[in-house]
Amino acid sequence: MMGHGAHVAGLSGVLLPVLALVAYLHLAGRARRRNPVLGWSRWRTASFGTGLALTAVALSPPVAPFAHADFRGHMVQHLLVGMYAPLALVLGAPVTLLLRALPVAGARRLSAVVHSRPARLAAHPAIALLLSTGGVVVLYFTPLYDAVTARPAGHWLLHVHFLLSGCLFAHVIAGPDPAPARPGVRARLVYLGCAIAVHAVAAQLMYGGFWVDVHAPIPEVRGGAEIMYYGGDIAELLVAAALVSTWRPERRPRPGRGALARG
């Protein structure tokens, strides 16, 4: 039964990303037809496809069976689904693509949702930080991890949480899609720094065996902590690079001749 379940999970892990890619390519084609001059960035398409590919790799063999059998495999899966894939998906700007591909009425409705109070609240960096990075602390330092991973449905719920919270955090910090409540770059760098610090401390505590509540052999827990520490650093550096690339410092007006004359 385990083999059949793993086979079904593997098919789902590939089929869903493929369907998402087909839908994205269809929308990209519509956006190009609606506005041939503006078109749609192939770089955005490649980024979204990369995110889907990383998701498929994480949810399919050999990563998925490794994640079920070994905590180190779980951590690899966690990083792929919760950090690397979300950044690539967000940089694909799917909301902007929808706004360009939908009819005017549909685009207006979507824009209203983006600007609604619940969306503005969810897009606040503090909420995104709590759901993504805070979730890591709750998962590994309470009995939640063993309770959730005891059933296949729990694994999938965990994947959904990792993916959605990771996408939310990447969107709030460095996403190209519209986010009316998004603060300035400096404030977002502070939130990103908090995420980096929490991940680092959590990984170090996990490696040392302090307060961690994961029922796995010590070598697996320590190996998972190392993967979380170094793999998380690389992912967060990529987020920082994406954020800094959007920074457009305001130019201060230079004093004109009139001001010099008045001086």
Side-chain angles (χ1 to χ4, degrees), residues 42-52 85 87-93:
R42 292 182 179 179
W43 186 91
R44 298 285 185 205
T45 302
S47 179
F48 195 83
T50 299
L52 292 175
L87 178 60
L89 291 171
V90 165
L91 292 179

Side-chain angles (χ1 to χ4, degrees), residues 255-263:
R257 294 181 180 179
L260 291 175
R262 288 194 298 269

Side-chain angles (χ1 to χ4, degrees), residues 14 39-40 45 74 83 149 158:
V14 173
W40 183 251
T45 302
H74 161 81
M83 299 186 77
T149 56
L158 198 59

Side-chain angles (χ1 to χ4, degrees), residues 9-187:
L11 287 177
S12 301
V14 173
L15 181 60
L16 293 177
V18 167
L19 292 176
L21 180 60
V22 170
Y24 186 95
L25 293 175
H26 173 69
L27 291 171
R30 288 189 60 179
R32 291 191 185 99
R33 289 192 296 272
R34 287 174 63 90
N35 192 332
V37 176
L38 189 60
W40 183 251
S41 169
R42 292 182 179 179
W43 186 91
R44 298 285 185 205
T45 302
S47 179
F48 195 83
T50 299
L52 292 175
L54 290 173
T55 304
V57 168
L59 301 180
S60 307
V63 176
F66 180 38
H68 285 266
D70 193 307
F71 183 69
R72 290 166 293 193
H74 161 81
M75 195 58 71
V76 170
Q77 194 177 54
H78 175 181
L79 290 176
L80 289 174
V81 175
M83 299 186 77
Y84 288 95
L87 178 60
L89 291 171
V90 165
L91 292 179
V95 176
T96 302
L97 176 59
L98 271 173
L99 289 170
R100 293 190 187 178
L102 287 173
V104 174
R108 286 177 178 172
R109 286 193 292 268
L110 178 59
S111 181
V113 171
V114 171
H115 287 80
S116 66
R117 181 171 296 181
R120 292 169 70 92
L121 178 63
H124 193 281
I127 300 298
L129 181 66
L130 181 64
L131 291 174
S132 58
T133 308
V136 169
V137 177
V138 174
L139 180 64
Y140 299 126
F141 293 89
T142 72
L144 182 62
Y145 173 79
D146 291 300
V148 169
T149 56
R151 298 176 179 274
H155 277 280
W156 282 100
L157 288 175
L158 198 59
H159 299 330
V160 171
H161 170 75
F162 283 155
L163 185 64
L164 294 182
S165 63
C167 285
L168 178 62
F169 186 76
H171 163 69
V172 169
I173 299 298
D177 281 328
R182 182 183 288 149
V185 172
R186 291 182 179 87

